[in-house]
Amino acid sequence: MVKVAFIGLGRMGHGMAGRYLDAGFTVAVWNRSKGKAVDLIARGARWAASPEDAAIGADAVVTMVADDEASRAVWLTGDGAATTMKPGTIAIECSTVSYHHTLEMARELRRRGLIYVDSPVTGLPDAAATGKLTLLVGADPADLERARPFLIPLATTIWHFGAVGSGTVYKLINNLMGAIQIAGIAEGLAIAEQAGLDMKLVLEAVETGVAASPQVIRHSRRMVERNFAGATFTASLRQKDAAYAVALAESLLRDAPIMGRAAVAAYDRAKSHAPDDDEGRMIEIVSRPKGDSAG
Ligand code: NAP
């Protein structure tokens, strides 16, 4: 039976690990806090004492953790997965990490005889739990073919952007463009509110007008209604992705990113306001009326 180790059972990882169980893989799971693994264990996953333990005998190790720091911790520290992975084993990083980190990990794991594939994802937690993610892959073509059986249970679409790191480049530009758009939606709606427009009409016009995009459709109504129930993507994660994208932009472009830096500044504020809540709460930051001296 094909063995997979899955590390990181947050909003996204929990559902993704479940997909391997559904597909009949032998699954070992680890998460920093064990509580999130309970139902996966009940469904047949083996609870591992550490990432290192999870990786024993695995044909592939898949990670879905918060950021560079978490990724380094689960792959490379004393009890990291790389410690026990057999040479030739596939390491699939689904977490959104920085470009610099991706290249460093690829080098470090290759030095240990392992194969590193970056495969960040787009799609919300419900897509993760139902195998409907889009995977953004950076890998040598031969490595992608070796990884493919472990990608298929997660996704409806696999985009191969090129060599290791290229999936992460795409993910970071995608999320930077999203950060700019979401902050822009919040600002536009806040102006309309303060100017006293009929927001029902504004919503209808925005959702059907030339500025409409999937982000507008997803966020504008929730922002106007201040309805942030069921947060799927948090202000902290958005700030992290935008900051990683800006670092990449600064290494490539002379005069940019102009909008990117503004988005990071906006999400720095959103992160201090409500780090673990929905990124759409950006509207609460930008909608304070002129003359409001509170806070
Ligand atoms: P989440 O619910 O906050 O989960 C974060 C995961 O990382 C948890 O398993 C957490 O462990 C673990 N973690 C954090 N710091 C750690 C550390 N220092 N050492 C070990 N583990 C650590 O986040 P998520 O929404 O699932 O997102 C996971 C990744 O997917 C992120 O890179 C995010 O940017 C990306 N992503 C998210 C979405 C989305 O819609 N949510 C969509 C696409 C991509 P604990 O459970 O113990 O805290």
Side-chain angles (χ1 to χ4, degrees):
M1 198 117 67
V2 186
K3 288 187 178 169
V4 65
F6 198 97
I7 294 168
L9 305 173
R11 287 183 196 83
M12 297 293 288
H14 181 273
M16 292 163 72
R19 290 294 303 162
Y20 290 111
L21 291 169
D22 293 342
F25 288 62
T26 297
V27 184
V29 292
W30 182 83
N31 192 56
R32 189 176 53 175
S33 38
K34 186 177 177 182
K36 293 179 187 172
V38 170
D39 64 313
L40 295 168
I41 297 166
R43 286 168 61 192
R46 171 175 78 84
W47 171 253
S50 61
E52 168 189 41
D53 179 25
I56 293 172
D59 299 301
V61 177
V62 184
T63 54
M64 190 53 160
V65 292
D67 53 17
D68 288 4
E69 187 193 339
S71 165
R72 193 167 293 108
V74 299
W75 288 111
L76 293 182
T77 51
D79 66 356
T83 320
T84 47
M85 288 167 74
K86 306 175 294 245
T89 305
I90 304 157
I92 302 175
E93 179 82 80
C94 288
S95 329
T96 307
V97 291
S98 69
Y99 181 61
H100 174 76
H101 176 81
T102 307
L103 297 189
E104 196 182 297
M105 289 295 303
R107 259 194 315 274
E108 180 57 34
L109 293 195
R110 200 175 298 134
R111 198 180 62 72
R112 297 172 187 227
L114 306 171
I115 298 165
Y116 186 76
V117 169
D118 59 313
S119 179
V121 315
T122 58
L124 296 173
D126 58 346
T130 51
K132 293 184 178 143
L133 294 171
T134 295
L135 304 184
L136 315 168
V137 176
D140 292 340
D143 293 344
L144 171 56
E145 289 322 307
R146 298 182 66 179
R148 197 178 289 279
F150 301 93
L151 303 179
I152 285 172
L154 304 178
T156 45
T157 308
I158 299 173
W159 295 111
H160 182 206
F161 285 97
V164 164
S166 60
T168 296
V169 171
Y170 180 77
K171 174 65 183 174
L172 294 179
I173 66 155
N174 181 73
N175 278 27
L176 182 63
M177 291 188 288
I180 293 166
Q181 270 197 48
I182 295 161
I185 297 163
E187 221 158 84
L189 294 173
I191 296 167
E193 283 176 354
Q194 286 306 316
L197 269 61
D198 172 353
M199 292 310 290
K200 198 161 168 288
L201 184 59
V202 167
L203 275 179
E204 196 181 331
V206 163
E207 287 170 349
T208 56
V210 290
S213 69
Q215 295 287 15
V216 166
I217 306 294
R218 185 153 85 86
H219 287 285
S220 48
R221 192 162 296 271
R222 282 161 64 88
M223 285 183 184
V224 168
E225 293 170 356
R226 306 295 195 270
N227 168 15
F228 305 113
T232 51
F233 199 68
T234 64
S236 288
L237 290 176
R238 183 64 76 178
Q239 188 277 345
K240 177 252 317 181
D241 290 357
Y244 288 165
V246 163
L248 175 61
E250 285 171 346
S251 73
L252 295 171
L253 303 170
R254 198 192 68 171
D255 296 324
I258 299 167
M259 302 302 293
R261 288 195 189 111
V264 171
Y267 275 97
D268 283 345
R269 290 180 64 182
K271 187 176 161 184
S272 342
H273 174 64
D276 301 322
D277 211 334
D278 195 277
E279 58 183 334
R281 288 186 66 182
M282 174 65 75
I283 187 130
E284 295 173 346
I285 291 166
V286 298
S287 63
R288 282 174 44 188
K290 199 168 173 69
D292 176 3
S293 57

